[in-house]
Amino acid sequence: MKAIRIACAALVLVTASACSDRARTVATIERPSPPPYPVNFDPSIFDETSATIDNEWWPLKPGTQMTFEGSAFEDGERIRRRVVFTVTDLTKVIAGVRVLVGWDRDYNDNELSESELIFLAQDKDGNVWHLGEYVEHYEEGGHFAGGRLWLVGYLEGAKAGIQMTASPKLGAPPYSQGFAPPPWDWDDNARVYQVGQRTCIRLGCYSDVLVIEEFEPAIPGISQLKYYARGVGSVRIGWLGEEDEERETMELVRLATLSPDELAKTRATVLEHESRAYMYGLTPPAEQVEAGT
């Protein structure tokens, strides 16, 4: 639930003025510790293929780029939202597990607001895990305002979570998608909300769609719904709960495979992005995936 997980105290290079009023409000909410729906992370459940993510509900092939467009309310006014998610050809070792590096960029009314590196790995059973993230924030005009980072194994109290289970089932218990204690205050959780759905977007219609509800236990009455098509990944984002003032809705509008030149430019930008993360001295640097892996 990206819209509600920004904490002002977690910005490492900016003053409090860089945060919105909504961010300040969320930062004051008392969150549980440890997470109420923990999952058992153990490096031994991963093998040498952990950075190869081929989960049928969320396949992440390096070079894939997904663009989502939609809108949300901000300060009572509806704004345009665009998210560009790129699967890079970079991997990194975190807590003894080799992870794949994803790059997510968020735009409000065509201005970059966040640029995020997310670290994902697939275990031997096919579950996709989230081991941390580095988020940079940008002010009006695209000016860098600072960043925040949490990584499993390098931040006391941080816990890995599951982004997508191998076999999602209706009625299964909720599960943590990752946890970082204050001042990061990251506590996303998820449950299977619907299965076998049909949804249509500009790119076409999908059947047998899986709907995942994401929520924070400390913020009741607000959930984000993510619609997943088998073999594609997320195709639509919606909301649930009358208390959700943002009411973000988005859909997949472009699914592309980057050319070798485009992927090389992406790699260079992400490595520059990574170099600004203040905790990365504790982990090996990201490196390019070898051809054929």
Side-chain angles (χ1 to χ4, degrees):
M1 293 180 63
K2 299 180 68 173
I4 59 174
R5 68 189 189 195
I6 302 171
C8 289
L11 299 179
V12 297
L13 298 176
V14 297
T15 63
S17 62
C19 294
S20 66
D21 290 337
R22 180 176 174 81
R24 292 193 189 96
T25 300
V26 172
T28 64
I29 294 174
E30 184 177 353
R31 289 173 169 80
S33 180
Y37 308 112
V39 289
N40 185 26
F41 172 75
D42 183 343
S44 69
I45 67 176
F46 300 87
D47 60 21
E48 66 278 1
T49 67
S50 57
T52 299
I53 298 178
D54 56 6
N55 180 293
E56 63 177 343
W57 292 107
W58 203 32
L60 299 177
K61 183 179 180 180
T64 300
Q65 187 172 84
M66 309 178 79
T67 302
F68 298 82
E69 292 183 353
S71 63
F73 283 98
E74 187 174 281
D75 298 325
E77 297 184 0
R78 185 165 286 279
I79 62 171
R80 290 174 294 168
R81 283 272 171 87
R82 178 162 54 97
V83 173
V84 181
F85 177 68
T86 304
V87 185
T88 77
D89 62 350
L90 295 168
T91 70
K92 185 177 184 69
V93 175
I94 297 176
V97 177
R98 183 162 294 278
V99 302
L100 181 66
V101 181
W103 181 29
D104 197 80
R105 286 166 289 169
D106 295 6
Y107 297 84
N108 291 332
D109 285 338
N110 291 323
E111 284 205 351
L112 180 66
S113 61
E114 286 188 6
S115 181
E116 171 185 348
L117 304 184
I118 181 171
F119 308 110
L120 304 162
Q122 183 170 293
D123 67 26
K124 289 181 281 189
D125 291 329
N127 302 296
V128 181
W129 289 75
H130 175 211
L131 278 74
E133 58 188 42
Y134 173 56
V135 183
E136 292 187 345
H137 303 274
Y138 293 82
E139 297 175 331
E140 187 174 349
H143 300 294
F144 176 62
R148 60 190 175 94
L149 169 75
W150 67 272
L151 297 175
V152 172
Y154 301 94
L155 172 66
E156 185 177 357
K159 298 182 181 297
I162 294 178
Q163 284 292 118
M164 178 60 70
T165 61
S167 301
K169 292 181 174 59
L170 193 64
Y175 52 90
S176 172
Q177 293 187 309
F179 179 83
W184 280 261
D185 292 316
W186 204 96
D187 186 24
D188 278 9
N189 294 266
R191 63 166 65 91
V192 176
Y193 182 69
Q194 291 175 320
V195 297
Q197 299 299 298
R198 176 178 169 83
T199 191
C200 292
I201 58 176
R202 277 174 275 181
L203 295 183
C205 294
Y206 298 92
S207 300
D208 194 26
V209 169
L210 168 71
V211 185
I212 298 293
E213 178 188 3
E214 297 184 352
F215 60 95
E216 285 198 44
I219 311 177
I222 298 177
S223 297
Q224 188 175 66
L225 300 179
K226 291 186 177 178
Y227 296 69
Y228 290 87
R230 197 187 303 267
V232 178
S234 179
V235 297
R236 180 188 290 279
I237 297 171
W239 58 277
L240 183 67
E242 292 301 319
E243 296 183 26
D244 187 354
E245 297 178 358
E246 193 172 40
R247 301 188 179 187
E248 180 183 58
T249 59
M250 305 188 75
E251 66 178 56
L252 181 67
V253 299
R254 182 174 180 266
L255 178 61
T257 299
L258 300 183
S259 69
D261 285 347
E262 290 172 326
L263 189 55
K265 291 179 181 177
T266 295
R267 185 188 320 126
T269 301
V270 168
L271 288 173
E272 181 183 356
H273 194 320
E274 180 190 52
S275 69
R276 294 191 289 266
Y278 73 101
M279 280 175 60
Y280 272 5
L282 300 175
T283 68
E287 55 190 22
Q288 184 181 359
V289 176
E290 294 183 8
T293 61

